[in-house]
Amino acid sequence: MATAQETSWNEAWASARKTLDGTTRVRVPGAGEGVEIATIDWGGDGPLAFLHHANGFCSATLAPIAQALRARFRVVAMDCRGQGDSTSIPPEGDAYDWGALAADVEHAVRATLERTGHERVALAIGHSFGGALLLRATSLGRTPIERLLLCDPVLHPKPDPDDPAPRGGARLAELSRRRRDRFPSFAEAYDHCRTRGLFAGFTAEALALYVGEGMAETEDGAEVALKCHREIEAAVFDSHQSHLCADDVEAVPARTLFVHARRGNFDLALFEAVAARMSDGRVTSADLGHLFPMERPEAVLDAIEELLRD
């Protein structure tokens, strides 16, 4: 699969758009007043698969995975509030509290089940903080999910009140606030991003989807800008609430597979400890980076096969 380093914007975007062919865009109510959650529906006649992206990205960046699942599942992915095409609200108070974001997941899943006529989600896939939110939503007992694939979910131990050292989220929040967020054109945004280390391993399709779907023209049409405002991405990192997502995991009925990325930043032992508390949880570890769904989507598909195997 071609990398962004090898592919021009025009070539990458032409290929990326094919992964969105035949999709339907649907907005559903979120948990907060006035919050609407944008979803992309790839269609399909099988059981329901539901996807959630990483912080600062959007549902469309998972399109190659969704498209591959379409032959066997009805595939729907959601945008977190303030990201992608979902409602953006000011990052004040608890607007981006992880509990509120998990409640949005519950609302989006229930609305999707009602709209599609399914009784439950057969397969839920969450990357990074999207995985943590799906775990939290499922543990609360109001989100019927049969199988749960967590791709290097953001999970940290409960903070030690005697340890004043800043957590990793604070560093990531600062990086988010410094990120360049405006460009003269989509092509120039793509060319800029493929020179940055964060995107170095992305496939050409994944980076084109990040640019083409994660950015939009400004009102005056003079530039393109990230749909997810830097302060919103930072607010999610600043919340430092990932440890809450592992609370109550004993109540998760879903068969759950954690995919630990060895070249990521999370503790394999913590994943194993959380999985051990679950009725049907297990962990696999692979030589992957944290952003592997955009770098090696085939690794996600392989993990899905492992999770579906009886």
Side-chain angles (χ1 to χ4, degrees):
M1 187 173 292
T3 68
Q5 306 298 322
E6 304 165 331
T7 313
S8 71
W9 161 249
N10 287 336
E11 293 173 310
W13 184 229
S15 177
R17 282 185 299 183
K18 293 177 183 177
T19 65
L20 296 168
D21 283 350
T23 57
T24 304
R25 312 279 178 140
V26 181
R27 299 181 72 81
V28 300
E33 183 177 355
V35 173
E36 289 187 335
I37 300 301
T39 67
I40 302 178
D41 188 340
W42 276 262
D45 297 324
L48 184 63
F50 191 88
L51 285 61
H52 196 305
H53 60 87
N55 185 26
F57 291 87
C58 63
S59 57
T61 56
L62 301 175
I65 296 165
Q67 185 78 306
L69 293 175
R70 191 183 206 171
R72 290 189 291 168
F73 292 89
R74 174 72 175 271
V75 187
V76 177
M78 68 168 280
D79 288 335
C80 175
R81 70 167 67 178
Q83 306 190 20
D85 292 324
S86 289
T87 302
S88 183
I89 57 179
E92 301 168 352
D94 61 359
Y96 293 92
D97 174 282
W98 286 40
L101 300 180
D104 282 341
V105 173
E106 292 183 71
H107 279 65
V109 168
R110 287 202 298 269
T112 299
L113 290 172
E114 182 177 351
R115 185 177 64 80
T116 62
H118 290 80
E119 293 184 357
R120 62 187 59 82
V121 175
L123 172 65
I125 304 166
H127 174 216
S128 191
F129 105 120
L133 295 181
L134 279 168
L135 181 63
R136 179 61 175 167
T138 309
S139 73
L140 297 176
R142 300 187 293 269
T143 310
I145 293 175
E146 290 182 343
R147 286 176 169 83
L148 187 56
L149 179 65
L150 306 178
C151 299
D152 214 33
V154 178
L155 293 179
H156 293 289
K158 292 185 178 181
D160 181 350
D162 297 324
D163 181 4
R167 301 192 63 80
R171 180 181 63 83
L172 293 172
E174 181 56 32
L175 290 173
S176 296
R177 291 186 173 98
R178 298 205 307 263
R179 180 170 297 143
R180 182 176 174 185
D181 63 346
R182 288 174 178 260
F183 304 88
S185 67
F186 288 106
E188 289 175 82
Y190 177 86
D191 286 341
H192 169 83
C193 289
R194 65 178 175 170
T195 67
R196 318 307 291 179
L198 179 68
F199 306 103
F202 275 36
T203 68
E205 283 184 351
L207 185 59
L209 289 162
Y210 172 76
V211 172
E213 288 283 331
M215 300 184 188
E217 288 188 350
T218 55
E219 288 187 10
D220 60 8
E223 296 179 298
V224 298
L226 285 169
K227 292 178 181 178
C228 176
H229 193 281
R230 292 178 297 187
E231 287 297 331
I232 289 174
E233 183 180 354
V236 173
F237 285 129
D238 270 338
S239 293
H240 301 315
Q241 294 173 312
S242 68
H243 65 280
L244 297 176
C245 297
D247 287 352
D248 307 312
V249 294
E250 293 85 354
V252 173
R255 174 176 292 182
T256 303
L257 177 62
F258 294 77
V259 181
H260 172 259
R262 292 181 199 145
R263 289 184 277 110
N265 300 308
F266 298 108
D267 185 357
L268 174 60
L270 177 60
F271 284 11
E272 291 173 335
V274 173
R277 291 164 48 203
M278 304 172 71
S279 61
D280 194 357
R282 53 199 172 95
V283 180
T284 185
S285 185
D287 183 26
L288 299 166
H290 177 63
L291 297 176
F292 72 89
M294 281 79 78
E295 298 169 340
R296 289 183 53 193
E298 71 278 5
V300 179
L301 299 177
D302 289 344
I304 291 169
E305 293 303 322
E306 181 178 345
L307 178 59
L308 296 178
R309 197 177 301 130
D310 291 330

